Amino acid sequence: MTTTRGLILLLTDEEDNWAYRSLEHAHEVVTATDFQQTAKMLNNIRCDLLVLDDSTLDEQTSNAVIELKRYFPQIPIAILVKSVDDDQYEHFVSAGADLVLTPFLSAEEFQQQVRIVLHQNVQRRALEARSQKLYLISSLPLMLRSYTDTQGI
């Protein structure tokens, strides 16, 4: 797999976030400190991955994921947690999180997980672009027929 460099939006209120340190060398990382700032930034940038720090959202992470997925369904969301049990993991995933990350992952594992999600996002965008082009090509005869009918040709 080729290296996929992406724009990552990190929501955290920690000055020295472990994920930021891990991501900044391989990706462009911008930060937001609260939910409102995050939503505003998502309207203005093309984000490849949104990373939410669970400790910043004070027990509202699942609700934030649901809300963000409602308005930005194409953006993958990763959640940073200090630790996670099976129920909490399932809760985050059912809310719409694409990835749950802990500081217990090695730097290599962490980077690999992020690269996989970014690569999948690139593939999804390429597939959407191809599908749109195919739709346009397949609808061309209908558009031409409609045009010629209105012109009396």
Side-chain angles (χ1 to χ4, degrees):
M1 180 182 338
T2 60
T3 302
T4 304
R5 188 170 164 78
L7 175 60
I8 298 174
L9 175 55
L10 172 62
L11 168 60
T12 185
D13 59 5
E14 291 181 22
E15 295 247 343
D16 188 31
N17 185 282
W18 61 272
Y20 183 86
R21 288 190 313 271
S22 296
L23 294 169
E24 70 178 333
H25 302 293
H27 307 283
E28 182 180 352
V29 181
V30 292
T31 59
T33 56
D34 61 42
F35 182 80
Q36 288 75 21
Q37 184 183 19
T38 301
K40 189 174 185 178
M41 290 175 78
L42 287 172
N43 282 316
N44 296 317
I45 62 173
R46 183 176 173 176
C47 179
D48 297 305
L49 176 63
L50 174 59
V51 180
L52 306 176
D53 185 344
D54 183 45
S55 63
T56 300
L57 292 168
D58 298 325
E59 305 289 323
Q60 295 299 314
T61 304
S62 293
N63 292 337
V65 171
I66 291 167
E67 198 65 22
L68 289 164
K69 282 292 188 176
R70 178 180 302 150
Y71 293 103
F72 308 100
Q74 272 69 351
I75 299 174
I77 298 178
I79 300 174
L80 302 177
V81 293
K82 302 275 190 247
S83 64
V84 65
D85 61 30
D86 290 342
D87 290 338
Q88 188 181 24
Y89 178 87
E90 190 63 37
H91 188 68
F92 288 145
V93 171
S94 66
D98 298 280
L99 198 55
V100 179
L101 303 165
T102 70
F104 303 112
L105 292 171
S106 70
E108 294 80 25
E109 289 172 318
F110 179 80
Q111 286 292 341
Q112 181 180 14
Q113 293 293 318
V114 169
R115 272 193 310 272
I116 289 169
V117 170
L118 288 173
H119 184 74
Q120 289 171 340
N121 196 33
V122 166
Q123 295 295 332
R124 180 193 52 75
R125 284 183 179 164
L127 183 60
E128 285 175 356
R130 273 190 296 249
S131 295
Q132 185 176 17
K133 288 176 185 175
L134 285 172
Y135 172 76
L136 290 172
I137 290 169
S138 66
S139 63
L140 189 58
L142 182 60
M143 291 181 348
L144 288 172
R145 189 172 336 143
S146 174
Y147 177 75
T148 56
D149 288 348
T150 61
Q151 299 299 315
I153 300 176

